[in-house]
């Protein structure tokens, strides 16, 4: 009698590797920048997003490569997108979650611009920056969204939210580990119901509503974060500090790192306070043309 071979994690790994090879063959020859983007980990994320269907993952990846060739997210620079208020609205945390993932802090109550393009461009810039700074072996990030000061006047239009969701799901698949919506007002529930229509089920499962007076919410935050590092805005014991000059200096350094990674020939020059930054690329409209 023959014994059925026991399925192992090694079998799963070999099957995933085979799918990655199949997808790489399917997309064919790539330019230098596309090759830098299409790492094995990247292909694996696209396969995961499409339930390991190679043909669907190929179509999704090809759409991303087409988008990147026109939008050129790797050429967006700090001084193009930033204003002091915008920066405070969307920043990197100085701490990681318990899994060692980068944490992005969003504060929609500080929304001060009606330009959907500026909002999206700034978010894309920070996503690209976060990706290039991820720790080795880390592919995802966590989001903390603070609704302090959020009102109907500062809410993002449904259309802008839809466009943001499309970019996140289509061009940064499996980058989001989890998103905490901290203490949203009651009227936001109606907004979220409309927005959720655009979320795929896997992404929707990663969105968690958190309320400071709810025991389960508090325990969930403690499960994902060290309370001593977590800012008091999110129920922790730390103080969220933001130094615009220091943050700008770090972003300028990251711009140089980004240009070097992608092989972009830029000569840094000095702007306010002696920060070294790369020159501005052509506007998106010119790039697309």
């Amino acid at each position: 009698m023959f014994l059925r071979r026991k399925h192992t994690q090694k079998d799963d790994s070999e099957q995933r590797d085979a799918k990655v090879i199949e997808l790489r063959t399917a997309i064919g020859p790539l330019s230098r920048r596309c090759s830098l983007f299409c790492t094995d980990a990247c292909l694996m994320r696209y396969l995961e997003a499409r339930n390991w269907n190679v043909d669907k993952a190929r179509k999704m990846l090809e759409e991303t490569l087409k988008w990147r060739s026109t939008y050129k997210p790797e050429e967006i620079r700090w001084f193009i997108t930033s204003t002091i208020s915008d920066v405070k609205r969307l920043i990197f945390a100085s701490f990681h979650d318990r899994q060692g993932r980068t944490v992005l802090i969003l504060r929609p109550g500080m929304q001060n611009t009606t330009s959907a393009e500026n909002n999206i461009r700034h978010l894309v810039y920070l996503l690209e920056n976060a990706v290039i700074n991820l720790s080795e072996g880390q592919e995802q990030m966590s989001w903390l969204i603070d609704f302090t000061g959020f009102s109907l006047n500062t809410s993002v239009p449904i259309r802008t939210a839809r466009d943001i969701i499309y970019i996140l799901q289509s061009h940064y698949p499996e980058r989001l580990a989890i998103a905490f919506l901290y203490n949203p007002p009651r009227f936001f529930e109606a907004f979220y119901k409309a927005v959720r229509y655009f979320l795929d089920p896997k992404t929707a499962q990663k969105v968690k509503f958190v309320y400071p007076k709810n025991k389960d919410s508090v325990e969930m935050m403690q499960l994902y974060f060290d309370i001593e590092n977590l800012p008091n805005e999110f129920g922790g014991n730390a103080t969220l500090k933001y130094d615009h000059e220091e943050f700008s200096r770090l972003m300028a350094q990251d711009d140089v790192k980004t240009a070097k990674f992608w092989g972009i020939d830029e000569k840094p020059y000095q702007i306010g306070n002696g920060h070294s930054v790369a020159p501005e690329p052509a506007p998106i409209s010119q790039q697309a043309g």
Side-chain angles (χ1 to χ4, degrees):
M1 179 182 293
F2 292 99
L3 295 176
R4 179 176 296 178
R5 182 171 175 266
K6 186 177 181 180
H7 186 81
T8 66
Q9 289 185 344
K10 182 179 179 181
D11 294 330
D12 289 337
S13 179
E14 290 176 349
Q15 290 175 10
R16 289 195 295 267
D17 290 344
K19 290 283 188 179
V20 169
I21 294 172
E22 187 179 348
L23 176 56
R24 189 172 295 283
T25 301
I27 59 178
L30 298 169
S31 66
R32 182 180 181 278
R33 284 198 196 180
C34 288
S35 295
L36 287 171
F37 179 76
C38 292
T39 62
D40 284 355
C42 172
L43 300 190
M44 202 169 291
R45 287 188 295 102
Y46 278 79
L47 285 163
E48 178 72 27
R50 289 297 177 261
N51 295 317
W52 297 89
N53 182 302
V54 173
D55 187 53
K56 291 181 179 180
R58 176 188 60 79
K59 292 177 181 178
M60 184 184 191
L61 181 55
E62 287 176 347
E63 284 298 313
T64 292
L65 295 178
K66 181 179 178 181
W67 173 77
R68 293 186 70 89
S69 71
T70 56
Y71 200 88
K72 297 187 183 298
E74 72 276 12
E75 293 187 12
I76 302 174
R77 295 294 176 260
W78 168 251
F79 72 96
I80 303 173
T81 66
S82 65
T83 65
I84 291 178
S85 54
D86 278 339
V87 172
K88 288 182 178 179
R89 178 175 55 83
L90 187 58
I91 63 174
F92 293 120
S94 59
F95 58 92
H96 295 80
D97 67 12
R98 291 191 185 275
Q99 300 299 319
R101 293 180 292 230
T102 296
V103 177
L104 195 61
I105 295 178
L106 294 83
R107 294 184 281 188
M110 293 185 174
Q111 173 74 21
N112 76 320
T113 175
T114 57
S115 171
E117 174 61 21
N118 287 346
N119 284 329
I120 294 172
R121 193 180 182 95
H122 186 60
L123 176 60
V124 167
Y125 168 78
L126 287 182
L127 287 172
E128 290 286 314
N129 186 285
V131 168
I132 207 168
N133 283 297
L134 286 173
S135 303
E136 184 176 355
Q138 193 63 262
E139 287 290 311
Q140 295 184 312
M141 62 194 80
S142 296
W143 286 22
L144 284 173
I145 306 175
D146 175 19
F147 280 86
T148 300
F150 185 77
S151 67
L152 291 173
N153 292 330
T154 59
S155 62
V156 174
I158 295 291
R159 182 175 180 178
T160 302
R162 180 200 63 189
D163 292 344
I164 290 173
I165 290 170
Y166 174 79
I167 289 176
L168 291 174
Q169 292 186 155
S170 301
H171 305 315
Y172 297 90
E174 299 301 315
R175 285 298 190 189
L176 178 65
I178 193 165
F180 295 97
L181 279 57
Y182 196 83
N183 204 25
R186 187 180 297 273
F187 73 82
F188 178 78
E189 294 179 7
F191 176 84
Y192 181 71
K193 286 181 180 179
V195 168
R196 183 166 179 166
Y197 175 80
F198 305 109
L199 293 175
D200 66 49
K202 290 181 66 175
T203 302
Q205 289 178 358
K206 298 176 181 179
V207 177
K208 309 296 182 183
F209 282 72
V210 177
Y211 299 95
K213 296 182 180 180
N214 180 281
K215 181 182 177 182
D216 291 339
S217 290
V218 172
E219 290 179 351
M220 181 166 57
M221 292 297 285
Q222 293 175 350
L223 180 65
Y224 281 90
F225 299 97
D226 182 343
I227 297 301
E228 296 304 315
N229 296 330
L230 191 67
N232 50 38
E233 287 89 344
F234 299 100
N237 297 329
T239 301
L240 181 60
K241 296 180 180 179
Y242 173 74
D243 184 323
H244 184 68
E245 182 176 341
E246 175 63 13
F247 195 77
S248 295
R249 183 184 68 80
L250 294 174
M251 293 299 99
Q253 289 178 351
D254 282 346
D255 283 352
V256 175
K257 183 196 299 185
T258 297
K260 183 177 180 180
F261 175 83
W262 292 105
I264 301 171
D265 186 18
E266 295 179 342
K267 295 180 179 179
Y269 60 89
Q270 303 293 319
I271 60 172
N273 299 318
H275 295 152
S276 178
V277 298
E280 179 177 359
I284 291 176
S285 58
Q286 293 181 21
Q287 294 168 358

